[in-house]
Amino acid sequence: MSNISVIGAGYVGLVTATGFAELGHSVKLLEISPSRVSALERNEIPIKEPGLPRLWQRNHSEGRITVTGNYIQGLLGSDFVFIAVGTPSTRNGKPDLKWVRAAARSIAEAASGPLIVALKSTVPVGTASLVADILARYRKNGHAYPVVSNPEFLREGAAVYDFFNPTRVVVGSSDHKAAEAVGKLYKPLGSPLVICDNKTAEMSKYASNVFLAARVSFMNEMAILCDEYDVDIVKVASIMGLDPRFGSGYLNAGLGWGGSCLPKDVRGLLYMAKSRGISLHIIRAVQRINQQQPYIVIRKLQRLLGSLEGKTVGILGLSFKPGSDDMREARSILVISRLEDEGCRIRAYDPAAMEGSARLLPRVVYCRDAYEVASGCDALVLVTEWDEFKELDMKKLAAMMKRPVFVDGRNVLQPDAMFEAGFVYEGIGRRGFGYKKLEGILPSRPRTGRNRAARRKTALAEEPTNR
Ligand SMILES: NC(=O)c1ccc[n+]([C@@H]2O[C@H](COP(=O)([O-])OP(=O)(O)OC[C@H]3O[C@@H](n4cnc5c(N)ncnc54)[C@H](O)[C@@H]3O)[C@@H](O)[C@H]2O)c1
């Protein structure tokens, strides 16, 4: 068993540290935020990750993991140190490496023995050599500190599962022995291990994340076409997903991708290209589609309700994805802000992210549950696909609303069942159901894709042929 230090008690660092402790290693977690350190000492987990509190408590109480803000203490006797600090975007999209630099400098100044430095944060190509330079510049002794790039592929909301079931472990280094030593730590997990150079490891993380973003943006663009032609994108996706060349993941059309990773990694890759004078046309389009995607909801609501001024809209789900309390670049922020600009009153509920949301969106009325949200609303919009929203009593929900309009921003509900429950239902790239219900309670009947297509067909038929 090894002595491992992990820097940064965020989604990645906290899960990695706890996971290594569970595998039997002796782990020290280093965190600069004193409130995070004291919360963890009290066995309070500062983030929402299924399974993490139980795992932390057990390993903490059995002494396999400790937490500290002191680098000398936190690195004492360690064989490995993993850097898992944040790398958010700066204004121009450049990944901000100030926390990585600070962590590297602190390691160099505090380490007293030989140490393998593993870089887990998502960083632009070339960062491992930057870290190696910092370590060499500030080290207080003659020890070598090989740097291994070990990008992290875990998903928030499933991070504990992903730690123990990684799809692949990537270790890149110019020091093969160091890469092998880091790879060996993951051996009990039995996943494929790829040993490569630092730059390949760094690029593989960006390519993987941006490819996921591209798949979703592709489906979102297809959804616009499906809406227009009255085709159900969910069925199209299920047919596509049967092709083993594609696989079925990340084919869901919806309100687009948010969170702390995909948006910043798309920006990071675009920045990397720009700094070498290269334009990435596909990736630029992937980003642009995603920027527009949340506003589809506004257009759908305008079509269904007429002017949004003075309307009350209920939002189900605020976090950027289910299973997480993370509000970073959540789609709910864009949807709600735009609806507020249009003059709407917003009521909302999320099982985990209400506190974080209240700091960002203070004008929203936060409710105890989905039923309280629905009460008196002109429309409901499902923004985050928490499981509990799939279990709602839809009849009860529809009956509580002023107008039974439901826009499913994640295509997770069954259109037929929603229609049966009394809703006018629309997904994203999914046929609308139940427009008849709006007759008499709206100024005019909403235009469907089919209506538009029919109008265009008529217009074409009326075009003179003897030009
Ligand atoms: N969140 C994810 O799902 C995910 C998945 C894969 C990769 N990543 C990458 O992993 C990295 C970390 O992401 P995160 O979401 O865990 O970040 P986070 O912001 O949740 O956590 C970072 C933690 O590091 C601490 N910290 C910052 N500087 C420090 C220092 N010098 N010493 C000690 N602690 C310090 C912060 O206080 C914070 O608690 C990022 O590069 C991210 O892109 C994230």
Side-chain angles (χ1 to χ4, degrees), residues 91-285:
R91 267 171 174 272
N92 58 2
K94 184 181 178 186
D96 190 345
L97 296 178
K98 67 170 178 274
W99 286 291
V100 171
R101 282 203 203 89
R105 182 171 176 169
S106 302
I107 293 169
E109 290 174 344
S112 50
L115 193 57
I116 294 175
V117 179
L119 200 43
K120 219 169 219 324
S121 300
T122 303
V123 288
V125 174
T127 305
S129 43
L130 173 90
V131 167
D133 289 348
I134 295 171
L135 291 165
R137 195 176 334 139
Y138 293 104
R139 69 184 170 185
K140 295 274 185 276
N141 52 52
H143 293 300
Y145 298 118
V147 179
V148 177
S149 302
N150 175 217
E152 180 53 64
F153 298 98
L154 60 73
R155 298 161 301 167
E156 268 180 44
V160 171
Y161 176 86
D162 287 349
F163 177 87
F164 291 104
N165 302 276
T167 49
R168 69 283 206 198
V169 170
V170 177
V171 283
S173 186
S174 51
D175 184 325
H176 196 77
K177 269 193 171 163
E180 274 184 336
V182 174
K184 220 171 138 192
L185 295 174
Y186 294 95
K187 204 164 175 220
L189 305 177
S191 59
L193 172 71
V194 182
I195 299 187
C196 54
D197 58 84
N198 292 99
K199 292 207 271 187
T200 305
E202 290 166 338
M203 188 63 101
S204 72
K205 172 63 190 174
Y206 277 96
S208 300
N209 264 9
V210 175
F211 187 61
L212 293 177
R215 281 174 73 109
V216 176
S217 281
F218 175 84
M219 293 310 286
N220 283 338
E221 192 161 55
M222 288 301 300
I224 294 170
L225 214 53
C226 283
D227 261 341
E228 199 63 28
Y229 277 89
D230 209 358
V231 173
D232 185 344
I233 187 77
V234 175
K235 293 204 176 111
V236 172
S238 70
I239 294 166
M240 289 170 68
L242 292 172
D243 190 324
R245 290 172 301 177
F246 309 160
S248 59
Y250 283 77
L251 291 179
N252 297 336
L255 297 178
W257 30 272
S260 66
C261 290
L262 295 192
K264 91 166 164 61
D265 292 347
V266 168
R267 287 193 292 268
L269 200 62
L270 286 168
Y271 182 84
M272 266 194 266
K274 195 173 159 208
S275 63
R276 295 290 171 102
I278 296 167
S279 302
L280 299 179
H281 304 290
I282 293 177
I283 296 165
R284 181 69 71 196

Side-chain angles (χ1 to χ4, degrees), residues 6-14 30-33 36 46-47 49 68-69 71 83-88 98-104 106 120-123 151-157 159 205 209 260-261 264-265 320-321 326 328:
V6 177
I7 299 181
Y11 290 86
V12 170
L14 188 49
L30 263 159
E31 168 58 51
I32 42 163
S33 156
R36 280 208 165 188
I47 55 169
E49 265 311 324
T68 176
Y71 266 79
I83 299 179
V85 298
T87 49
K98 67 170 178 274
W99 286 291
V100 171
R101 282 203 203 89
S106 302
K120 219 169 219 324
S121 300
T122 303
V123 288
E152 180 53 64
F153 298 98
L154 60 73
R155 298 161 301 167
E156 268 180 44
K205 172 63 190 174
N209 264 9
S260 66
C261 290
K264 91 166 164 61
D265 292 347
F320 91 92
K321 68 189 281 192
D326 201 338
R328 288 180 283 186

